[in-house]
Amino acid sequence: MTRYIARSPDVAARTIGGELMIMSGRDSSLFSLNETAAALWEAADGATPLAGIVDRAICARFDVAREEALADAEALAEDLARHGILVVSEAPIPR
Amino acid sequence: MSAVLAHDARVRVGGMCVRLTTTSTRFAGILEQRFAGFMEPGREADYTFEVEVVDPRSDAPDADVRVWREEGLWRIERGDFRAVLDPRTRRGRIRQAASPYSIDTLLRILHTLSLADEGGFLLHAASVVRAGRAQVFTGVSGAGKTTLSRLAPPGADVLTDEISYIRREAGGYVAYGTPFAGELARPGANVRAPIEGIYLLSKGPRNRVDEVAAPAAARALLGNILFFAEDPALVRRVFAAALDAVESLPVRRLTFVPDASVWEVL
């Protein structure tokens, strides 16, 4: 199943001290993303399939097996979607 | 038929004047007492509220406060009060019992909404002015805010032992005194001063000051900023205000023993 991810418009995000911080506009919960999670967030354009994002933004930059990276990315995307800071869809997400 | 005389109270905190009108003489007296030192009769009002004083509600007195925007109006409710504010006209209505706690909470919320528009915020923090500069001490309940305030050296002005009022102005960040008191149970000094730094409080075996990395400082500030509204646009403004402050002001950790010696390391 192909999945697409996009950054939610209802969040605030800024990199401070080298750390990407994101606050949910829905429930004010605060997240600090590590380097790989931040790479996923930055690449979440709604148009590129998640697997493509993992290839381009994760596997090309970090020493990690593709299957493992894809499984981690799917779990992270679901977690962030539950808090309303990422949108996950089976179709491209219009911006 | 005789007209009912309305009382007109003007409470000015952080440079912002809120006019409260009421026909309740008892409530007018409560306002005079609660906001002593911050009443400015005749001052031009930034916000005006008509306060209807009603009998205390018994159905949900302990309900959580809710703040939300509906059809362009801010609605603010808790078990003991209801308020509506039109942000375009800056006028509103309040329905509450003759309680100082209800109006105190409402004013805090109003200031959080107003400050967010200009990059400021209310912070769970004590603040003290020495030699013309304000030091802000933030922490959760029990962290030592009131203790530090009580230990402030002679000549220092305690702006608050509970809720610090932080505004971003042309020359930088400024702390204002507030009537929003904690365990000290008395209003702060009604003065303002540029902020020297923010300290994250923790108690320990000796007094020391340590640098804090920006992400940790941002998390601490965001955790201690008064923030009520269920509104994504407001969340973005509060988030930006907190991170701007972290990028502009020194934020350090103050570990202290609860006696007057703490002021020697500050």
Side-chain angles (χ1 to χ4, degrees):
Chain A
M1 181 173 61
T2 303
R3 288 184 168 195
Y4 297 84
I5 59 174
R7 296 182 292 276
S8 167
D10 287 339
V11 299
R14 191 189 297 185
T15 299
I16 183 166
E19 197 173 299
L20 177 60
M21 305 189 75
I22 303 174
M23 181 171 261
S24 163
R26 195 173 67 186
D27 61 8
S28 307
S29 51
L30 184 66
F31 299 85
S32 294
L33 301 191
N34 65 22
E35 201 175 358
T36 49
L40 190 76
W41 163 267
E42 297 288 355
D45 59 5
T48 309
L50 180 57
I53 290 176
V54 168
D55 288 338
R56 192 185 66 202
I58 308 294
C59 295
R61 294 170 53 191
F62 303 97
D63 183 18
V64 59
R66 185 175 189 275
E67 289 305 309
E68 182 187 347
L70 187 55
D72 287 350
E74 286 177 345
L76 177 66
E78 292 296 335
D79 187 34
L80 296 180
R82 270 195 296 277
H83 291 281
I85 66 172
L86 200 68
V87 179
V88 179
S89 171
E90 294 174 12
I93 302 160
R95 305 298 289 170
Chain B
M1 193 171 75
S2 63
V4 178
L5 189 65
H7 300 275
D8 180 332
R10 301 185 187 218
V11 184
R12 187 164 183 256
V13 181
M16 189 178 95
C17 181
V18 180
R19 178 180 179 226
L20 302 165
T21 63
T22 176
T23 56
S24 167
T25 301
R26 179 173 169 234
F27 186 60
I30 288 172
L31 292 174
E32 288 284 350
Q33 187 173 18
R34 183 72 175 186
F35 301 113
F38 291 83
M39 303 291 279
E40 295 198 13
R43 167 73 69 167
E44 185 179 354
D46 297 292
Y47 289 88
T48 298
F49 286 89
E50 189 178 315
V51 184
E52 180 187 2
V53 176
V54 296
D55 290 335
R57 289 176 63 191
S58 58
D59 51 345
D62 298 325
D64 287 339
V65 67
R66 284 194 64 217
V67 183
W68 75 101
R69 195 191 281 262
E70 186 178 286
E71 297 176 349
L73 303 177
W74 281 110
R75 295 191 179 276
I76 308 167
E77 289 190 11
R78 199 170 64 179
D80 55 331
F81 61 73
R82 286 182 183 174
V84 62
L85 167 68
D86 185 337
R88 291 159 298 188
T89 62
R90 295 189 160 208
R91 300 181 75 90
R93 294 188 312 278
I94 298 169
R95 183 180 166 88
Q96 64 156 92
S99 157
Y101 308 110
S102 304
I103 192 64
D104 194 283
T105 300
L106 271 164
L107 286 182
R108 293 182 193 200
I109 293 169
L110 177 63
H111 281 281
T112 67
L113 295 176
S114 177
L115 276 170
D117 287 336
E118 54 185 68
F121 46 88
L122 296 186
L123 185 66
H124 282 289
S127 40
V128 176
V129 177
R130 290 192 305 164
R133 306 279 290 177
Q135 293 169 310
V136 178
F137 305 97
T138 185
V140 296
S141 182
K145 299 188 293 291
T146 300
T147 302
L148 264 176
S149 303
R150 285 199 180 106
L151 295 169
D157 284 320
V158 176
L159 299 181
T160 173
D161 70 321
E162 176 73 5
I163 301 294
S164 286
Y165 198 111
I166 296 173
R167 282 186 68 168
R168 188 169 60 186
E169 301 183 350
Y173 285 87
V174 176
Y176 283 77
T178 80
F180 308 129
E183 291 172 33
L184 273 186
R186 63 169 184 262
N190 191 0
V191 297
R192 61 186 288 281
I195 297 176
E196 177 268 327
I198 297 176
Y199 295 84
L200 314 181
L201 290 179
S202 61
K203 291 172 183 166
R206 63 190 176 89
N207 299 319
R208 57 180 291 173
V209 174
D210 297 293
E211 298 300 320
V212 177
R219 277 190 289 274
L221 242 58
L222 283 165
N224 289 342
I225 287 178
L226 266 74
F227 181 60
F228 303 93
E230 302 152 18
D231 183 85
L234 195 66
V235 169
R236 279 195 289 273
R237 290 200 288 275
V238 170
F239 180 86
L243 269 60
D244 286 350
V246 166
E247 289 176 330
S248 302
L249 289 169
V251 180
R252 309 177 182 102
R253 178 167 301 284
L254 171 63
T255 306
F256 73 105
V257 289
D259 63 40
S261 67
V262 60
W263 287 96
E264 295 168 10
V265 298
L266 291 168

